[in-house]
Amino acid sequence: MNIVVCVKQVPDTATERKLRSDDKTLDRDAVDGVVNELDEYAVEEALRLKEAHGGEVTVLTMGPAKATETIRKALAMGADKAVHLSDDALHGSDALSTSYAMAQALKKIGFDLVILGSESTDARTGVLAAMLAERLGTPQLTLARKVEVNGSAIAIERITDYGFDKVEATLPAVVSVVEKINEPRYPSFKGIMAAKKKPVETLGIADASVDGSAVGLAAAYSEVAEFAAAPPRAAGTVVKDEGDGGVKAADFLASKKFI
Amino acid sequence: MSEILVLVEHVDGEVKKVTLELLTLARTLGEASAVWAGPGYSEAAKAKLAEYGADKVYVADSDEIVNYVVAPKAELLAKLVGDKSPAAVLVAATTEGKEVAGRLAVKTDSGVITDAVGLGEGFVADQSIFGGGVNVRSRVTKGTPIVAVRPNSTAPVAAAGAGAEEKVEVAPSDAARAAKIVERVKEEKGARPELTEAAIVVSGGRGVGSAENFAIIEKLADSIGAAVGASRAATDAKWYPHQFQVGQTGKTVSPQLYIAAGISGAIQHRAGMQTSKTIIVINKDPEAPIFEIADFGVVGDLFQVVPQLTEEIEKRK
């Protein structure tokens, strides 16, 4: 089975994240990049499926040169090779353009199964997997907490408000996974060393047949009109419990008419 | 005034509160048209939508629409966008709502904004990003604006609309029938409201200490009609099921009132609850960062404070 797992480098959420004042995009230079947390579950799921069914795991990332660090992490976990879609023209791409460029790259790579994390910790739109399924014309098997493959049949448990749906489809398909679908492995020393020798192919937009006028900030379908650091919340009242903390909290609730 | 489509969220034939919020919002910007997708439609449902301002109600109530993952709903909305040329499409910013919005955006070559917490003139959307650290106002610049609005972004206000019903015949395409839902499994959640939609949420974290101890969090929640949430520390420890995790990699909530007990307030958690209108914190560590965003905080042992608060609420009912 040919599995492509999409990973994204995101700013470490423990650091302060900012928008650039010039083009209102995320300032990626100012912060440390890490693998988007939910993507680690996607990599783990891809590796488990490969271990069970055979095949190959290819990592696909779109991002600036420094996103290579993220690729190395996924390779160190055990993926076989990587494709890095990287081009200055892609800077500032929104979800629509990103899904277009990623879909083009996926068509070039070829796949039986595409696996993603269900959302990124930076943009948090949660739409990419659905957009890829739409663009690729493949089944959308998103928000999976369990994935089972049997020949060309694939079944997932999709998280819903009321519990979960059992969903069935036929490969090729696009899957997104939620946290706790598995326990992502830590790269071993051997894995880290081996990752250095694994092939990483860099694709520019022309290599992936991506139309340059359809990506990047200029092609965005929405614009940030303005932004500002959120004003700090007005300082609240903090009391020390002296045996009446619950009563005081109830008084506060009553003053706000919650009770 | 131009028409604004609102995709109705419903469960067991009942219109969900977030839809009433979206209709309220749509009315301030144009004429609200509700779009009902899937079975369960009734005169009562139509009356509810009209009560909150729906001038039109488009009804596509075949089972087919909900028997496949997301795609048929996006096709239905795309057809209506083509036929009715609305000024905008609003959906609830639930995980599924956002997926519908994403597919619709691709189909109609339109911009999409997710997780709006407010929407104003010219469909300029307010968003809170980076774990609540930055406020952004953005607008769609191509196609029909598609906006996913977070539950509890506005209070639902009744104002009668005409409620003119129009049946829409759609059969999902083969592509939209590729991911078939073969079974829906309902997990017991009792009488509590749904986490992402609840007006009040009570969450417990590391300080709760065990699965059994979550009973005191649940009791407080039940005393005030709240949903129960949990921090990642609590779900990682398997004290509470993962689907109730509030935070960056879990659910995002934006209730009127959020009560955090035994939660320190790492960015992982704050990113999922920082837009709550009022925040109450109970934690024994006065240095816990969660106090920085508290409207009211009690430094104390949650095992003393939470039961006392529950008792006080019961007493004052």
Side-chain angles (χ1 to χ4, degrees):
Chain A
M1 187 165 41
N2 183 6
I3 306 170
V4 181
V5 56
C6 302
V7 298
K8 183 182 188 185
Q9 186 178 51
V10 297
D12 187 344
T13 57
T15 59
E16 188 186 1
R17 293 165 288 175
K18 289 181 174 162
L19 292 178
R20 285 160 44 144
S21 54
D22 53 355
D23 67 2
K24 298 172 187 161
T25 63
L26 172 63
D27 190 343
R28 295 186 189 273
D29 296 331
V31 289
D32 288 336
V34 296
V35 182
N36 178 49
E37 207 176 317
L38 289 166
D39 298 349
E40 294 188 19
Y41 296 88
V43 174
E44 177 64 36
E45 199 60 24
L47 295 174
R48 289 183 187 202
L49 288 168
K50 177 196 155 176
E51 284 155 12
H53 303 282
E56 189 173 54
V57 175
T58 305
V59 177
L60 170 63
T61 199
M62 173 175 140
K66 105 181 204 190
T68 318
E69 301 157 15
T70 290
I71 290 175
R72 290 290 167 204
K73 168 95 188 263
L75 292 175
M77 285 174 75
D80 299 294
K81 60 189 177 72
V83 175
H84 186 177
L85 181 58
S86 189
D87 198 305
D88 290 344
L90 295 166
H91 170 76
S93 293
D94 60 8
L96 280 149
S97 311
T98 299
S99 67
Y100 160 65
M102 296 279 286
Q104 291 299 98
L106 285 163
K107 283 181 202 164
K108 182 179 163 62
I109 298 166
F111 60 89
D112 297 310
L113 190 57
V114 179
I115 309 185
L116 304 83
S118 56
E119 69 176 49
S120 64
T121 56
D122 53 357
R124 299 196 72 195
T125 61
V127 298
L128 190 66
M131 284 181 170
L132 284 179
E134 175 72 34
R135 289 193 189 276
L136 294 166
T138 51
Q140 177 189 328
L141 302 174
T142 48
L143 303 168
R145 66 171 205 182
K146 187 175 180 190
V147 179
E148 280 177 334
V149 175
N150 188 355
S152 65
I154 179 166
I156 67 153
E157 289 182 4
R158 169 179 164 85
I159 296 279
T160 63
D161 288 336
Y162 47 80
F164 63 94
D165 287 346
K166 292 187 176 176
V167 182
E168 294 177 359
T170 305
L171 296 176
V174 173
V175 165
S176 81
V177 299
V178 298
E179 195 185 356
K180 293 189 175 68
I181 183 172
N182 54 42
E183 189 65 48
R185 66 194 69 185
Y186 288 102
S188 63
F189 179 72
K190 202 175 139 204
I192 293 167
M193 296 312 288
K196 294 182 179 169
K197 299 197 187 86
K198 289 178 177 171
V200 178
E201 184 187 2
T202 302
L203 297 184
I205 56 168
D207 304 319
S209 308
V210 171
D211 174 1
S213 68
V215 293
L217 193 58
Y221 282 73
S222 56
E223 64 176 13
V224 171
E226 52 185 318
F227 69 91
R233 287 181 85 103
T237 309
V238 177
V239 300
K240 193 171 178 320
D241 180 32
E242 283 162 347
D244 60 352
V247 176
K248 283 183 171 156
D251 289 344
F252 177 80
L253 287 179
S255 76
K256 296 283 180 188
K257 307 217 172 355
F258 284 113
I259 54 174
Chain B
M1 289 255 272
S2 45
E3 186 172 5
I4 297 171
L5 301 182
V6 172
L7 179 62
V8 177
E9 295 255 337
H10 53 89
V11 59
D12 300 332
E14 293 268 346
V15 178
K16 289 169 72 169
K17 183 169 72 103
V18 64
T19 297
L20 308 181
E21 296 166 8
L22 263 52
L23 288 170
T24 304
L25 203 52
R27 256 174 22 222
T28 66
L29 301 164
E31 287 168 4
S33 295
V35 180
W36 184 285
Y41 181 73
S42 64
E43 283 302 312
K46 181 171 85 174
K48 189 80 169 180
L49 296 167
E51 183 189 345
Y52 283 83
D55 285 320
K56 286 186 187 151
V57 181
Y58 298 114
V59 180
D61 59 351
S62 98
D63 287 354
E64 286 284 279
I65 294 194
V66 294
N67 286 347
Y68 306 91
V69 176
V70 173
K73 285 184 184 169
E75 281 189 349
L76 166 64
L77 287 173
K79 176 182 160 57
L80 287 169
V81 167
D83 292 352
K84 311 290 176 186
S85 305
V89 180
L90 308 187
V91 302
T94 55
T95 45
E96 174 155 327
K98 291 198 282 187
E99 291 184 335
V100 172
R103 293 191 77 127
L104 179 63
V106 172
K107 280 181 187 299
T108 59
D109 200 29
S110 297
V112 58
I113 290 174
T114 51
D115 282 313
V117 291
L119 192 62
E121 206 60 34
F123 301 103
V124 175
D126 298 308
Q127 290 168 291
S128 166
I129 63 169
F130 300 157
V134 177
N135 291 337
V136 170
R137 307 196 76 210
S138 44
R139 73 171 81 85
V140 166
T141 49
K142 288 186 198 170
T144 306
I146 301 164
V147 186
V149 182
R150 265 192 202 159
N152 291 312
S153 292
T154 192
V157 179
E165 182 179 313
E166 188 179 320
K167 290 271 183 193
V168 185
E169 295 300 332
V170 282
S173 69
D174 287 346
R177 294 147 63 109
K180 184 169 173 54
I181 299 171
V182 293
E183 189 183 348
R184 282 173 232 281
V185 181
K186 298 204 169 157
E187 290 181 333
E188 197 51 57
K189 67 177 173 81
R192 287 189 199 111
E194 208 169 274
L195 182 54
T196 48
E197 215 192 36
I200 303 177
V201 175
V202 180
S203 288
R206 191 186 303 277
V208 176
S210 72
E212 298 71 46
N213 289 347
F214 254 87
I216 72 164
I217 301 294
E218 291 183 330
K219 270 188 196 141
L220 173 56
D222 293 342
S223 74
I224 198 166
V228 173
S231 75
R232 188 179 188 173
T235 59
D236 273 353
K238 302 199 164 39
W239 297 340
Y240 218 67
H242 175 235
Q243 65 262 36
F244 298 101
Q245 182 178 313
V246 171
Q248 191 161 258
T249 54
K251 299 248 162 68
T252 300
V253 300
S254 196
Q256 298 299 322
L257 172 64
Y258 190 89
I259 303 179
I263 293 174
S264 66
I267 181 78
Q268 159 68 231
H269 190 71
R270 293 208 310 270
M273 47 68 74
Q274 192 140 330
T275 55
S276 303
K277 312 293 180 296
T278 299
I279 298 172
I280 292 190
V281 170
I282 299 158
N283 199 302
K284 66 181 179 198
D285 175 10
E287 304 298 323
I290 191 111
F291 279 113
E292 291 164 21
I293 57 168
D295 294 290
F296 188 83
V298 180
V299 180
D301 181 357
L302 74 91
F303 297 103
Q304 303 297 322
V305 178
V306 170
Q308 188 180 62
L309 174 57
T310 308
E311 194 185 324
E312 278 298 311
I313 291 168
E314 294 291 356
K315 221 188 281 178
R316 297 180 196 199
K317 267 181 182 170

